[in-house]
Amino acid sequence: MRFQLLGPLSITDGSDTVVLQPSKPTILLASLLLHANSVVSADYLQRTMWGEEQPATSRAALQTCVLRLRRLFTKHGVTETPIEAVPGGYRITAGPRHLDLIGFREEVRRAEETADPESELHVLKGALSLWEGSVLANVRSDVLHRDEVPRLVEERLRILERACDLKLRLGRCGEALVELWSASRAHPGHERFREQLIEALYRTGRQTEALAEYRLVKDYLHDELGVDPSPALRRLEMAILRGEDLGPAEDRQPAGPAYVSNGGGGQQEQSPAATAAPAPKAMVGPVATVHSFTGRAAECAALRERLTAPGQDPVTLLVSGAPGIGKTALARHLAHQVKDAFPAGLFMVRMVAPDGTPRSPEDAAAEVSAALRERVPGERALLLLDDVVDAEQVRQLLPAGTEGAAVVTSRRGLAGLVATHGGWVLRLGTFSEEESYALLLAVLGAERVEAEPEAARSLAEACGHHPLALRIMSARLLTRPALRLADSVSWLAEDPLARLSLADSPELSVHRVLGGALDRLDPRLADAFLKVAAQIPDHFTAEDGVRVLGMSPAEADDVLDRLADAGLLEEGPPGPYRVHELLRVYARRTAPYRSRPIQKV
């Protein structure tokens, strides 16, 4: 038999778990288990059950509760009662296998003795998985909730904080974000969680969100507690405003002189005048690493070869594909693979503002010019021009002479850019079955995935092997370590659009990403897509488009070609078109609310 304190008080016998009903014997059991293997005085037990004002019969009632508790154990097959009556009170005997609280503390002790960060994190994650909800939610004792529960919660928060530190140290910032969103909202006054969340957002390339989070915590501390953020939080804010490369998490030192990163690992001291007017809206910054990047091996190899070939002219690589297909992740991963070939640095240039507005070519060019101003002559820089809307946005940003290279990501094909400036084009599709399985292995861990390999493959299929969908579903599963993969497959199939989202990160939603992609289109093109995707089978020809859209063949050809260029249709003439299943589900749900009669585009 196993007792579970780290959640509602329950007893597990084999595969059966009984959550105890609120009662005096339940309070008694919780009080004994909280002090397992120690003598608990009768006076203390009486106070936990009846409070400070105890009835005259409380001593006799305590003995009755002990008897009822022993009968409960017998009912669940425990022949040798672990409760002992000893002089002055009672004692319950338990070890790590019989009480989750002792097991948790034993795992924490084992983690502290582990020198390897990866191994330490693995052990701590196992310890944290023992917590299964609100502590002692079914134990109605004011004394326990006042004196004992806060101490237990603090134990968990301390270990969760350590685990998140390790994830940041190991570069697993995306995984840390899942935990930190929840922890920072549940414990808004716990500054260290807010600091870790801000750091993780910045390390994953989300500078705007990191600064917004800092403003939230600053307002909370001021309004609720009347204090300012800690020096560590203020130093982190300044580092983000300056676009500093934070360096490895374990090596980061308290802020000294102000530094600005050149994206390639070097730093230069910044003048006081430069720090006096930070530019929080700047869209040029360092290229963040990608947590648990998997797949795309052949694509990475081909791109890497083109970027690092000696004695070549300026290189422009275009990575295009559907929304959420992994273009930016591939480009960021590639940039760090080739950083040694670009001593002047790696620079991420976001071509769309957070509100979805395309940036003007002039603004982007001015920021890139400022970022490259201190480059040593002859040293090459790599620009990652991310989420380009049209060719005109980036023509003046492409490198000339021997000054470097550019990787352009876009949902569109940008054939006009390739025609005028040359370059090499990679059109990304969905993952293969093996790439999807490898992603689940990398994020969820081999132990969990290999315990249910067929369910993992079914889950990848239910996600359509779509990288964004797989990432979202993996994040959901990370927060539910006891959930079987097989159960998640059927749950996802019931409503994939609603369930491929994260409540604490609304921007990570298949529905929102697809909706944003349609909002960028001419409204008539968006309506045409909804009509085609909702009404035509998986594979269809241009003739099918003519029939559904009610257009001439030439007009339908133009519309379908533009939708394919925008990444919303796959393949295309002379072969058939295809709509990804997630896009089809989105269209069928959305079409009744936003489609209008199709006019010539």
Coordinates of all heavy atoms in Angstrom, one line a residue, residues 375-424:
R375 N 31.3 46.3 -37.4 CA 32.0 45.1 -38.0 C 33.4 45.4 -38.5 O 33.6 46.4 -39.1 CB 31.1 44.5 -39.1 CG 31.6 43.3 -39.8 CD 30.7 42.8 -40.9 NE 30.5 43.9 -41.9 CZ 29.9 43.8 -43.0 NH1 29.3 42.7 -43.3 NH2 29.8 44.8 -43.8
V376 N 34.2 44.4 -38.2 CA 35.6 44.6 -38.7 C 35.6 44.3 -40.2 O 35.0 43.4 -40.7 CB 36.5 43.5 -38.1 CG1 37.9 43.6 -38.7 CG2 36.6 43.8 -36.6
P377 N 36.3 45.2 -41.0 CA 36.3 45.1 -42.5 C 36.8 43.7 -42.9 O 37.8 43.2 -42.3 CB 37.2 46.2 -43.0 CG 37.1 47.2 -41.9 CD 37.0 46.5 -40.6
G378 N 36.1 43.1 -43.8 CA 36.5 41.7 -44.3 C 35.8 40.6 -43.6 O 35.8 39.5 -44.1
E379 N 35.3 40.9 -42.4 CA 34.6 39.8 -41.7 C 33.2 39.7 -42.2 O 32.5 40.6 -42.4 CB 34.6 40.1 -40.2 CG 35.9 39.9 -39.5 CD 35.8 39.9 -38.0 OE1 34.8 40.4 -37.5 OE2 36.8 39.5 -37.3
R380 N 32.7 38.4 -42.3 CA 31.4 38.1 -42.9 C 30.4 38.0 -41.7 O 30.6 37.5 -40.7 CB 31.4 36.8 -43.7 CG 32.4 36.8 -44.8 CD 32.4 35.5 -45.5 NE 31.3 35.2 -46.3 CZ 30.6 34.1 -46.3 NH1 31.0 33.1 -45.6 NH2 29.6 33.9 -47.1
A381 N 29.2 38.5 -42.0 CA 28.0 38.4 -41.1 C 26.9 37.6 -41.8 O 26.8 37.6 -43.0 CB 27.5 39.8 -40.7
L382 N 26.1 37.0 -41.0 CA 25.0 36.2 -41.5 C 23.7 36.9 -41.0 O 23.5 37.1 -39.8 CB 25.0 34.8 -41.0 CG 23.8 33.9 -41.4 CD1 23.8 33.7 -42.9 CD2 23.9 32.5 -40.7
L383 N 22.8 37.3 -41.9 CA 21.6 37.9 -41.6 C 20.5 36.8 -41.8 O 20.4 36.1 -42.8 CB 21.2 39.0 -42.6 CG 22.2 40.2 -42.6 CD1 21.7 41.3 -43.5 CD2 22.3 40.8 -41.2
L384 N 19.6 36.7 -40.7 CA 18.5 35.8 -40.8 C 17.3 36.8 -41.0 O 16.8 37.4 -40.0 CB 18.3 35.0 -39.6 CG 17.5 33.7 -39.6 CD1 17.6 32.9 -38.4 CD2 16.0 34.0 -39.9
L385 N 16.8 36.9 -42.2 CA 15.6 37.8 -42.5 C 14.4 37.0 -42.3 O 14.0 36.2 -43.2 CB 15.8 38.4 -43.9 CG 17.1 39.1 -44.2 CD1 17.2 39.5 -45.6 CD2 17.4 40.2 -43.2
D386 N 13.7 37.2 -41.2 CA 12.6 36.2 -40.8 C 11.2 36.8 -41.1 O 10.9 37.9 -40.8 CB 12.8 36.0 -39.3 CG 11.8 34.9 -38.8 OD1 11.8 33.8 -39.5 OD2 11.1 35.1 -37.8
D387 N 10.4 35.9 -41.7 CA 9.0 36.1 -42.0 C 8.8 37.3 -42.9 O 8.1 38.2 -42.7 CB 8.3 36.4 -40.6 CG 6.8 36.1 -40.8 OD1 6.3 35.6 -41.8 OD2 6.0 36.5 -39.8
V388 N 9.5 37.2 -44.1 CA 9.5 38.2 -45.1 C 8.1 38.1 -45.8 O 7.6 37.1 -46.2 CB 10.6 38.0 -46.1 CG1 10.5 38.9 -47.3 CG2 12.0 38.2 -45.4
V389 N 7.5 39.3 -46.0 CA 6.2 39.3 -46.6 C 6.2 39.4 -48.1 O 5.4 38.8 -48.8 CB 5.4 40.5 -46.0 CG1 4.0 40.7 -46.7 CG2 5.2 40.4 -44.5
D390 N 7.2 40.2 -48.7 CA 7.3 40.3 -50.1 C 8.8 40.6 -50.5 O 9.6 41.0 -49.6 CB 6.4 41.3 -50.7 CG 6.6 42.7 -50.2 OD1 7.7 43.2 -50.0 OD2 5.6 43.4 -49.8
A391 N 9.1 40.4 -51.7 CA 10.5 40.6 -52.1 C 11.0 42.0 -51.9 O 12.2 42.2 -51.6 CB 10.6 40.2 -53.6
E392 N 10.2 43.0 -52.1 CA 10.6 44.4 -52.0 C 11.1 44.7 -50.6 O 12.0 45.6 -50.4 CB 9.5 45.3 -52.3 CG 9.9 46.7 -52.7 CD 10.9 46.7 -53.9 OE1 10.7 46.0 -54.8 OE2 11.9 47.5 -53.8
Q393 N 10.6 44.0 -49.6 CA 11.1 44.2 -48.2 C 12.6 44.0 -48.0 O 13.2 44.7 -47.1 CB 10.3 43.2 -47.2 CG 9.2 43.8 -46.4 CD 8.8 42.9 -45.3 OE1 8.8 41.7 -45.5 NE2 8.5 43.5 -44.1
V394 N 13.1 43.1 -48.7 CA 14.5 42.6 -48.4 C 15.5 42.9 -49.5 O 16.7 42.6 -49.3 CB 14.5 41.1 -48.0 CG1 13.8 40.9 -46.7 CG2 13.9 40.3 -49.1
R395 N 15.1 43.4 -50.6 CA 16.1 43.6 -51.7 C 17.3 44.3 -51.3 O 18.5 43.9 -51.6 CB 15.5 44.3 -52.9 CG 14.4 43.4 -53.6 CD 14.0 44.1 -54.9 NE 12.7 43.6 -55.4 CZ 12.6 42.5 -56.2 NH1 13.7 41.8 -56.5 NH2 11.4 42.0 -56.6
Q396 N 17.1 45.5 -50.6 CA 18.3 46.3 -50.2 C 19.0 45.7 -48.9 O 20.0 46.3 -48.5 CB 17.8 47.7 -49.9 CG 16.8 47.9 -48.8 CD 16.3 49.3 -48.7 OE1 17.1 50.2 -48.4 NE2 15.0 49.6 -48.9
L397 N 18.5 44.6 -48.3 CA 19.2 44.0 -47.2 C 20.1 42.9 -47.6 O 21.0 42.5 -46.8 CB 18.2 43.5 -46.2 CG 17.2 44.5 -45.6 CD1 16.2 43.7 -44.7 CD2 18.0 45.5 -44.8
L398 N 20.0 42.4 -48.8 CA 20.8 41.2 -49.2 C 22.3 41.6 -49.3 O 22.6 42.7 -49.8 CB 20.3 40.7 -50.6 CG 18.9 40.2 -50.5 CD1 18.5 39.6 -51.9 CD2 18.7 39.1 -49.5
P399 N 23.2 40.8 -48.9 CA 24.6 41.1 -48.9 C 25.2 41.3 -50.3 O 24.7 40.7 -51.3 CB 25.3 39.9 -48.2 CG 24.3 38.8 -48.4 CD 22.9 39.4 -48.4
A400 N 26.2 42.1 -50.4 CA 26.9 42.3 -51.6 C 28.4 42.0 -51.4 O 28.9 42.0 -50.3 CB 26.7 43.8 -52.1
G401 N 29.1 41.8 -52.6 CA 30.5 41.5 -52.5 C 30.8 40.3 -51.6 O 30.1 39.3 -51.8
T402 N 31.7 40.4 -50.7 CA 32.0 39.3 -49.8 C 31.6 39.5 -48.4 O 32.2 39.0 -47.5 CB 33.6 39.0 -49.9 OG1 34.2 40.2 -49.5 CG2 34.0 38.7 -51.3
E403 N 30.6 40.4 -48.2 CA 30.3 40.9 -46.8 C 29.5 39.9 -46.0 O 29.4 40.0 -44.8 CB 29.6 42.2 -46.8 CG 28.3 42.2 -47.5 CD 27.7 43.6 -47.7 OE1 28.4 44.5 -47.6 OE2 26.4 43.6 -47.9
G404 N 29.0 38.8 -46.6 CA 28.3 37.9 -45.8 C 27.3 37.1 -46.6 O 27.4 36.9 -47.8
A405 N 26.2 36.6 -45.9 CA 25.2 35.8 -46.5 C 23.9 36.1 -45.8 O 23.8 36.8 -44.7 CB 25.5 34.3 -46.3
A406 N 22.8 35.7 -46.4 CA 21.4 35.9 -45.9 C 20.6 34.7 -46.0 O 20.6 34.0 -47.0 CB 20.7 37.1 -46.6
V407 N 19.9 34.3 -44.9 CA 18.9 33.3 -45.0 C 17.5 34.0 -44.8 O 17.3 34.7 -43.8 CB 19.1 32.3 -43.8 CG1 18.0 31.2 -43.9 CG2 20.5 31.6 -43.9
V408 N 16.7 33.8 -45.8 CA 15.4 34.4 -45.8 C 14.3 33.4 -45.5 O 14.3 32.3 -46.2 CB 15.1 35.1 -47.2 CG1 13.7 35.7 -47.2 CG2 16.2 36.1 -47.5
T409 N 13.4 33.7 -44.6 CA 12.3 32.8 -44.3 C 11.0 33.5 -44.7 O 10.9 34.7 -44.5 CB 12.2 32.3 -42.9 OG1 11.7 33.4 -42.1 CG2 13.5 31.8 -42.4
S410 N 10.1 32.8 -45.4 CA 8.9 33.4 -45.8 C 7.8 32.3 -46.1 O 8.2 31.2 -46.5 CB 9.1 34.3 -47.1 OG 7.9 34.8 -47.5
R411 N 6.6 32.7 -45.9 CA 5.5 31.8 -46.3 C 5.4 31.7 -47.8 O 4.8 30.8 -48.3 CB 4.2 32.2 -45.6 CG 4.2 32.1 -44.1 CD 3.0 32.7 -43.5 NE 3.1 32.7 -42.0 CZ 2.3 33.3 -41.2 NH1 1.2 34.0 -41.7 NH2 2.4 33.2 -39.9
R412 N 5.8 32.8 -48.4 CA 5.7 32.9 -49.9 C 6.9 32.4 -50.6 O 8.0 32.3 -50.0 CB 5.4 34.4 -50.2 CG 4.1 34.9 -49.6 CD 3.9 36.3 -50.1 NE 3.7 36.3 -51.6 CZ 3.7 37.4 -52.3 NH1 3.8 38.6 -51.7 NH2 3.6 37.4 -53.6
G413 N 6.7 32.1 -51.8 CA 7.8 31.5 -52.6 C 8.9 32.6 -53.0 O 10.0 32.2 -53.3
L414 N 8.5 33.9 -53.1 CA 9.4 35.0 -53.4 C 10.2 34.7 -54.7 O 11.4 34.9 -54.8 CB 10.3 35.3 -52.3 CG 9.7 35.7 -51.0 CD1 10.8 36.0 -49.9 CD2 8.7 36.8 -51.1
A415 N 9.5 34.2 -55.7 CA 10.1 33.9 -57.0 C 10.8 35.1 -57.6 O 11.8 35.0 -58.3 CB 9.1 33.2 -58.0
G416 N 10.1 36.3 -57.4 CA 10.7 37.5 -58.0 C 12.0 37.8 -57.4 O 12.9 38.3 -58.1
L417 N 12.2 37.6 -56.1 CA 13.5 37.9 -55.5 C 14.6 36.9 -56.0 O 15.7 37.4 -56.3 CB 13.4 37.7 -54.0 CG 14.6 38.0 -53.1 CD1 14.9 39.5 -53.2 CD2 14.4 37.5 -51.7
V418 N 14.2 35.7 -56.2 CA 15.2 34.7 -56.7 C 15.5 35.1 -58.2 O 16.7 35.0 -58.6 CB 14.6 33.3 -56.7 CG1 15.6 32.3 -57.3 CG2 14.4 32.9 -55.2
A419 N 14.5 35.6 -58.9 CA 14.8 35.9 -60.3 C 15.7 37.1 -60.5 O 16.5 37.1 -61.4 CB 13.4 36.2 -61.0
T420 N 15.6 38.0 -59.6 CA 16.5 39.2 -59.7 C 17.8 39.1 -59.0 O 18.8 39.8 -59.4 CB 15.7 40.5 -59.2 OG1 15.3 40.3 -57.9 CG2 14.5 40.7 -60.1
H421 N 17.8 38.4 -57.9 CA 19.0 38.3 -57.0 C 19.7 37.0 -56.9 O 20.7 36.8 -56.2 CB 18.7 38.9 -55.6 CG 18.5 40.3 -55.6 ND1 17.4 41.0 -56.1 CD2 19.3 41.3 -55.0 CE1 17.5 42.3 -55.9 NE2 18.6 42.5 -55.3
G422 N 19.1 36.0 -57.6 CA 19.6 34.6 -57.5 C 19.4 34.0 -56.1 O 18.7 34.6 -55.2
G423 N 20.0 32.9 -55.8 CA 19.8 32.3 -54.5 C 19.4 30.8 -54.7 O 19.1 30.4 -55.8
W424 N 19.3 30.2 -53.6 CA 18.9 28.8 -53.6 C 17.6 28.6 -52.7 O 17.5 29.2 -51.6 CB 20.0 27.9 -53.0 CG 19.8 26.4 -53.2 CD1 20.0 25.7 -54.3 CD2 19.4 25.5 -52.2 NE1 19.7 24.4 -54.1 CE2 19.3 24.2 -52.8 CE3 19.1 25.6 -50.8 CZ2 19.0 23.1 -52.1 CZ3 18.7 24.5 -50.1 CH2 18.7 23.2 -50.8

